[in-house]
């Protein structure tokens, strides 16, 4: 089996679709919202992943006042936070998180703090000490702000960081931040990340004597 090896000083991890499979909840909530607004749910679901809710709403209803999107987003976040039915870890996520526990890493998610806590808890995954959630950024992915803040908080430059992402918006954000990207799952496959895995079972983490993180990425 062939393997790709990537080296980095720090890892920046998206949550939904990357560490946690929350698709069931996301689809339930967004289908309801789309139908309420007379939109095709299937078309809506193609753009919801990776962005904050208000940013998705702005794409789907471009003529609507932004204040209404923010108000709807608050309702959506409350619904998603309360609904953890079907939220499970992505394959290999528990072992991966255990392997990087002592290494520089941060969670960079479009979820707010309450939603991130609810989903990481439901998936029985440890919450990274360093995290950048929706409250801490002024712009949603695909803007690179979240990843740049995560790298800065860890004390590393963009070139020294590797992003783990599943969505088009997230991969675009990682690239815009000047970082390499490991794409996780089916949504990422067609987006030409630097490396792609079906899930985190394909990654083995090794640490060099100088602290460099070596990611051994097995072919699917």
């Amino acid at each position: 089996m062939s393997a790709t090896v990537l080296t980095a000083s720090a890892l920046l991890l998206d949550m939904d679709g990357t560490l946690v499979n929350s698709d069931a909840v996301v689809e339930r909530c967004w289908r309801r919202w789309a139908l309420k607004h007379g939109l095709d749910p299937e078309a809506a679901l193609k753009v919801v992943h990776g962005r904050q809710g208000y940013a998705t709403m702005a794409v789907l209803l471009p003529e609507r006042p932004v204040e209404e999107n923010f108000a709807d987003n608050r309702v959506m976040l409350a619904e998603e936070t309360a609904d953890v039915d079907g939220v499970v870890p992505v394959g290999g996520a528990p072992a991966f998180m255990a392997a990087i526990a002592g290494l520089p890493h941060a969670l960079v998610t479009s979820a707010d703090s309450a939603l991130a806590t609810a989903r990481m808890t439901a998936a029985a995954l440890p919450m990274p000490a360093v995290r950048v959630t929706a409250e801490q950024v002024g712009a949603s992915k695909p803007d690179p702000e979240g990843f740049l803040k995560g790298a800065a908080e860890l004390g590393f430059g963009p070139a020294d960081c590797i992003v783990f992402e599943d969505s088009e918006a997230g991969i675009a954000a990682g690239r815009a931040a000047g970082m390499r990207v490991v794409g996780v799952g089916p949504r990422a496959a067609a987006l030409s990340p630097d490396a792609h895995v079906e899930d985190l079972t394909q990654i083995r983490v090794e640490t060099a004597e100088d602290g460099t993180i070596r990611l051994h990425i097995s072919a699917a």
Side-chain angles (χ1 to χ4, degrees), residues 30-39 72 75 79:
W30 281 97
R31 281 181 189 281
R32 284 197 301 268
W33 184 88
L35 290 170
K36 178 181 176 182
H37 293 278
L39 300 172
D72 265 14
V75 174
E79 290 178 355

Side-chain angles (χ1 to χ4, degrees), residues 4-159:
T4 299
V5 179
L6 298 178
T7 60
S9 298
L11 307 178
L12 301 175
L13 314 172
D14 174 52
M15 181 181 70
D16 293 303
T18 301
L19 298 175
V20 173
N21 183 342
S22 56
D23 282 3
V25 179
V26 172
E27 292 189 9
R28 279 196 296 274
C29 291
W30 281 97
R31 281 181 189 281
R32 284 197 301 268
W33 184 88
L35 290 170
K36 178 181 176 182
H37 293 278
L39 300 172
D40 175 7
E42 298 306 320
L45 289 173
K46 291 179 180 177
V47 298
V48 302
H49 297 286
R51 294 179 174 87
Q52 291 188 42
Y54 75 84
T56 294
M57 294 167 189
V59 171
L60 294 170
L61 295 174
E63 304 302 318
R64 196 165 79 142
V66 66
E67 293 79 12
E68 292 184 32
N69 293 337
F70 281 118
D72 265 14
N73 189 43
R74 287 191 289 273
V75 174
M76 178 74 73
L77 282 170
E79 290 178 355
E80 289 189 289
T81 302
D83 184 356
V84 293
D85 186 27
V87 173
V88 296
V90 164
F96 176 76
M97 294 300 287
I100 67 170
L103 303 175
H105 68 282
L107 190 73
V108 181
T109 176
S110 295
D112 66 4
S113 181
L115 180 57
T117 299
R119 287 187 175 162
M120 292 291 279
T121 300
L125 294 174
M127 178 65 82
V130 177
R131 46 195 178 269
V132 180
T133 57
E135 299 96 330
Q136 295 161 269
V137 296
S140 172
K141 300 171 185 176
D143 192 283
E145 181 185 0
F147 286 125
L148 292 172
K149 282 194 169 183
E153 191 161 342
L154 291 171
F156 295 100

Side-chain angles (χ1 to χ4, degrees), residues 202-213:
Q202 290 172 240
I203 296 177
R204 179 170 64 86
V205 181
E206 180 183 63
T207 311
E209 288 185 9
D210 64 357
T212 299
I213 302 167

